[in-house]
């Protein structure tokens, strides 16, 4: 029996953790409870999703609420510690890159309770983004890292994470969308309610990143693009952070005026209605992380209101275009996709890289089957003090052996043509490959002698 403490705290975490919860709920050998950090506490960002997704009530609530990064992270660390110590789980699990997640990861590892990270390995390589800091820290202390794509797993390998801790599982958002696309078509009446049946172009807009909301120039530029796209009906469910900022900058009144007659301001929507809007949309304008993925999975063009993304797969596949907050770029890209039907036709032929819809089940299985290996323990006694990394090119003598055969652990493997791959124990080494090994120096030197490695 494995005893699991699941943490979630914001809208996207509730949505993306749901498939893991469904997966665990079907396993008699798993006992789990939910702890909600209450980073999001408004009904429309939290309770609505527990209800729609039919999730069990949280057993614990940390009541952390809003505040500075220092406040939020430290409050989660402190309060999660009490819950973890009291419940005494075999492992904790959290999803994503919020302040809640980094707080839980730190609390857990300090109590020597293994931390499992769902949606691990995403990187924008932009450290000014608060979420990038959270992801890197959470991943660096995790004992089990569930990477949604191979690319995410490679990011982890390059940072030196032991490949034995990494699983490529797919993204749980695919699981949940597969269920909700059907429900949204049947249950949601939002299109009729808002009388949108005959609009020419329907666009969904969301903005909540601090780089946009906390910078009036960027926010203004995005909203000017909205106004210029007058042939489009733009639906804008406003995140509370954005609402507060629009009020502060005196922009909210203007948005409600005739100048923005193509804009429909909405409260944050429940999942069924929001998915329905995504289904019906001609394009999506967003700075959200999760919505970039959802657009790709649904085959919708997405114009990302950021200067970079930790989901580069969406850009490479052609679903996503990075516009930043440039008014002209947003307008040009939106017009490019809505006036060119072949663009959408081509998108519909591309398979997204986010998985097969079984990520939640897969993660639940991995946890149940492997939790005893997720130990937080001191490394074995090191005669030389500590291990070190060295990189070798596989030669004739080494080729033909498997990753498992080698005494030093192979942590990264690169084909001769430069393609990196995730080393698995049964993988055979080929002449010319580059391998990065981790071991004590005397063991590496022995390997060098034995196989004539320079
Ligand atoms: C947080 C996450 C972000 C994630 C987003 C999902 C961090 C650093 N940010 O951003 O990664 O994409 O959630 O939506 O963890 N507020 C309310 N009611 C609420 C919650 C927030 O009014 O229930 C308002 C408060 O004014 C608060 C502001 O929104 O100060 C920001 O909330 P916060 O949780 O700090 O960050 P988000 O912008 O929601
Ligand atoms: N979402 C929703 N209602 C809304 C806006 C978003 O249900 O009004 C969903 C959306 O489908 C996605 C998730 O919330 O699954 C994304 O949340 P958000 O953009 O707040 O966070 P991020 O993904 O950027 O961390």
């Amino acid at each position: 029996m494995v005893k699991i403490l699941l943490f979630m705290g914001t809208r996207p975490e509730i949505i993306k953790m749901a498939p893991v919860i469904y997966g665990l709920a079907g396993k008699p050998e798993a006992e789990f409870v939910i702890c909600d950090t209450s980073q999001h506490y408004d009904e429309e960002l939290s309770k609505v999703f527990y209800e729609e997704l039919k999730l069990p009530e949280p057993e614990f609530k940390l009541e952390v609420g809003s505040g500075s990064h220092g406040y939020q992270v430290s409050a989660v660390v402190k309060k999660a510690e009490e819950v973890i110590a009291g419940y005494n789980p075999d492992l904790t699990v959290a999803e994503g890159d919020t302040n809640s997640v980094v707080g839980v990861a730190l609390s857990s590892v300090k109590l020597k309770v293994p931390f499992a990270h769902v949606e691990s390995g995403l990187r924008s390589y932009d450290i000014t983004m608060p979420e990038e800091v959270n992801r890197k820290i959470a991943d660096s202390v995790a004992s089990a890292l569930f990477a949604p794509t191979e690319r995410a797993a490679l990011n982890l390998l390059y940072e030196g994470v032991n490949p034995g801790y990494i699983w490529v599982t797919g993204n749980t958002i695919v699981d949940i969308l597969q269920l909700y696309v059907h429900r949204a078509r049947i249950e949601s009446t939002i299109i009729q309610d808002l009388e949108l049946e005959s609009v020419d172009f329907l666009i969904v807009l969301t903005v909540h990143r601090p780089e946009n909301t906390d910078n009036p120039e960027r926010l203004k530029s995005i909203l000017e693009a909205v106004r210029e796209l007058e042939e489009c009906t733009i639906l804008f469910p406003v995140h509370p952070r954005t609402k507060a900022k629009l009020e502060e900058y005196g922009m909210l009144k203007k948005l409600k005026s005739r100048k923005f007659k193509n804009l429909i301001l909405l409260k944050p929507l429940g999942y069924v209605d929001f998915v329905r809007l995504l289904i019906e949309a001609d394009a999506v304008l967003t700075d959200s992380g999760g919505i970039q993925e959802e657009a790709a999975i649904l085959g919708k063009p997405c114009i990302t209101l950021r200067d970079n993304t930790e989901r580069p797969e969406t850009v490479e596949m052609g679903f996503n275009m990075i516009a930043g907050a440039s008014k002209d770029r947003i307008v040009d890209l939106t017009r490019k996709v809505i006036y060119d039907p072949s663009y959408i036709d081509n998108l519909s032929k591309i398979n997204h890289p986010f998985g097969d819809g079984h990520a939640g089940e897969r993660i639940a299985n991995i946890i149940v089957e492997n939790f005893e290996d997720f130990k937080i323990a001191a490394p074995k006694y090191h005669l030389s003090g500590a291990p070190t990394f060295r990189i070798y090119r596989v030669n004739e003598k080494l080729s033909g052996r498997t990753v498992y055969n080698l005494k030093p652990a192979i942590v990264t493997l690169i084909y001769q043509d430069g393609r990196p791959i995730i080393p698995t124990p049964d993988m055979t080494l080929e002449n010319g490959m580059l391998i990065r090994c981790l071991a004590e120096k005397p063991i590496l030197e022995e390997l060098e002698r034995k196989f004539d490695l320079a």
Side-chain angles (χ1 to χ4, degrees):
M1 178 67 94
V2 52
K3 199 172 166 191
I4 305 160
L5 185 52
L6 300 165
F7 282 90
M8 36 214 217
T10 63
R11 168 169 71 188
E13 291 164 71
I14 303 169
I15 296 169
K16 286 180 166 174
M17 193 67 112
V20 179
I21 296 171
Y22 303 153
L24 290 172
K27 302 212 172 302
E29 58 274 57
E31 173 192 319
F32 70 91
V33 293
I34 296 169
C35 175
D36 192 303
T37 67
S38 327
Q39 177 173 341
H40 283 173
Y41 43 88
D42 283 352
E43 204 169 309
E44 57 209 11
L45 293 188
S46 178
K47 190 161 182 266
V48 152
F49 295 95
Y50 277 95
E51 286 173 0
E52 279 195 4
L53 298 160
K54 299 190 172 49
L55 298 177
E57 284 275 311
E59 183 84 10
F60 306 103
K61 283 199 167 199
L62 302 186
E63 307 291 0
V64 165
S66 303
S68 69
H69 288 272
Y71 160 73
Q72 251 174 1
V73 175
S74 58
V76 174
V77 171
K78 192 162 173 282
K79 294 179 174 197
E81 184 178 68
E82 287 165 27
V83 174
I84 298 168
Y87 184 67
N88 194 23
D90 292 306
L91 79 156
T92 59
V93 186
E95 190 284 337
D97 53 18
T98 63
N99 285 345
S100 293
V101 174
V102 74
V104 168
L106 289 175
S107 249
S108 192
V109 71
K110 295 267 181 190
L111 288 170
K112 303 197 175 38
V113 173
F115 167 70
H117 191 200
V118 179
E119 207 180 21
S120 172
L122 271 57
R123 296 288 183 271
S124 64
Y125 294 92
D126 175 359
I127 200 72
T128 66
M129 207 183 163
E131 291 80 3
E132 183 79 354
V133 178
N134 295 344
R135 289 176 204 125
K136 288 179 73 156
I137 295 176
D139 284 336
S140 69
V141 298
S143 299
L145 300 98
F146 301 124
T149 62
E150 193 150 304
R151 183 167 180 143
L154 289 171
N155 286 333
L156 296 169
L157 282 182
Y158 293 147
E159 287 175 14
V161 175
N162 182 334
Y165 293 4
I166 304 169
W167 283 269
V168 180
T169 57
N171 196 313
T172 57
I173 198 68
V174 181
D175 311 19
I176 206 74
L177 264 184
Q178 284 181 355
L179 293 174
Y180 275 74
V181 163
H182 183 64
R183 257 187 82 175
R185 285 212 172 94
I186 294 171
E187 290 176 31
S188 171
T189 57
I190 192 160
I191 299 294
Q192 299 90 304
D193 297 348
L194 296 174
E195 297 174 6
L196 299 170
E197 291 97 333
S198 55
V199 299
D200 287 337
F201 300 110
L202 192 70
I203 308 281
V204 178
L205 167 71
T206 81
V207 182
H208 76 280
R209 296 277 159 198
E211 76 219 48
N212 290 326
T213 59
D214 299 6
N215 180 335
E217 289 311 312
R218 281 180 73 104
L219 197 52
K220 206 166 143 221
S221 175
I222 292 169
L223 294 169
E224 275 172 6
V226 163
R227 187 157 61 144
E228 196 157 316
L229 288 165
E230 57 189 2
E231 70 272 48
C232 301
T233 301
I234 300 188
L235 297 167
F236 183 16
V238 187
H239 189 288
R241 175 191 198 106
T242 317
K243 183 165 179 247
K245 287 292 177 183
L246 288 169
E247 269 165 357
E248 185 186 318
Y249 305 146
M251 292 183 194
L252 197 56
K253 226 170 132 198
K254 217 165 157 194
L255 292 186
K256 290 179 181 166
S257 73
R258 286 199 53 77
K259 283 189 182 155
F260 281 87
K261 56 180 184 305
N262 63 334
L263 180 68
I264 302 179
L265 295 173
L266 298 167
K267 287 187 168 164
L269 298 171
Y271 201 52
V272 172
D273 280 338
F274 193 75
V275 171
R276 181 67 193 270
L277 287 190
L278 290 179
I279 294 170
E280 303 297 336
D282 293 290
V284 182
L285 307 184
T286 191
D287 61 10
S288 160
I291 297 170
Q292 291 172 57
E293 289 158 357
E294 288 167 331
I297 294 161
L298 295 171
K300 297 286 164 179
C302 177
I303 288 131
T304 291
L305 309 173
R306 284 170 43 187
D307 299 331
N308 50 53
T309 178
E310 60 291 329
R311 275 103 173 161
E313 297 91 340
T314 55
V315 179
E316 285 158 9
M317 308 296 289
F319 293 110
N320 194 356
M321 283 143 279
I322 305 293
S326 150
K327 185 195 89 171
D328 291 343
R329 214 168 139 69
I330 299 168
V331 170
D332 290 351
L333 287 172
T334 308
R335 291 206 167 121
K336 178 178 150 191
V337 299
I338 62 175
Y339 287 116
D340 179 3
S342 68
Y343 189 88
I344 304 267
D345 279 356
N346 287 337
L347 282 190
S348 63
K349 293 181 194 117
I350 301 168
N351 291 327
H352 68 76
F354 293 109
D356 58 2
H358 298 286
E361 183 67 31
R362 201 167 283 128
I363 290 168
N365 284 338
I366 295 167
I367 290 175
V368 168
E369 286 162 20
N370 298 277
F371 75 96
E372 279 165 329
D373 299 333
F374 302 164
K375 290 267 178 298
I376 296 188
K380 280 186 292 203
Y381 181 75
H382 287 123
L383 278 175
S384 67
T388 185
F389 288 109
R390 279 199 188 166
I391 298 173
Y392 303 108
R393 190 171 291 285
V394 174
N395 59 15
E396 296 269 335
K397 271 187 152 177
L398 209 51
S399 105
R401 291 171 190 268
T402 63
V403 165
Y404 184 76
N405 280 155
L406 234 57
K407 207 167 169 195
I410 295 185
V411 290
T412 327
L413 207 148
I414 298 175
Y415 282 123
Q416 205 164 7
D417 62 7
R419 268 178 310 129
I421 45 168
I422 302 157
T424 53
D426 57 354
M427 199 166 274
T428 306
L429 301 181
E430 293 166 22
N431 222 356
M433 274 178 169
L434 282 180
I435 52 172
R436 188 161 69 122
C437 297
L438 178 68
E440 285 193 76
K441 211 167 147 200
I443 296 174
L444 291 170
E445 284 165 356
E446 189 192 319
L447 181 89
E448 289 163 15
R449 269 194 307 276
K450 193 169 162 194
F451 293 101
D452 297 333
L453 297 165

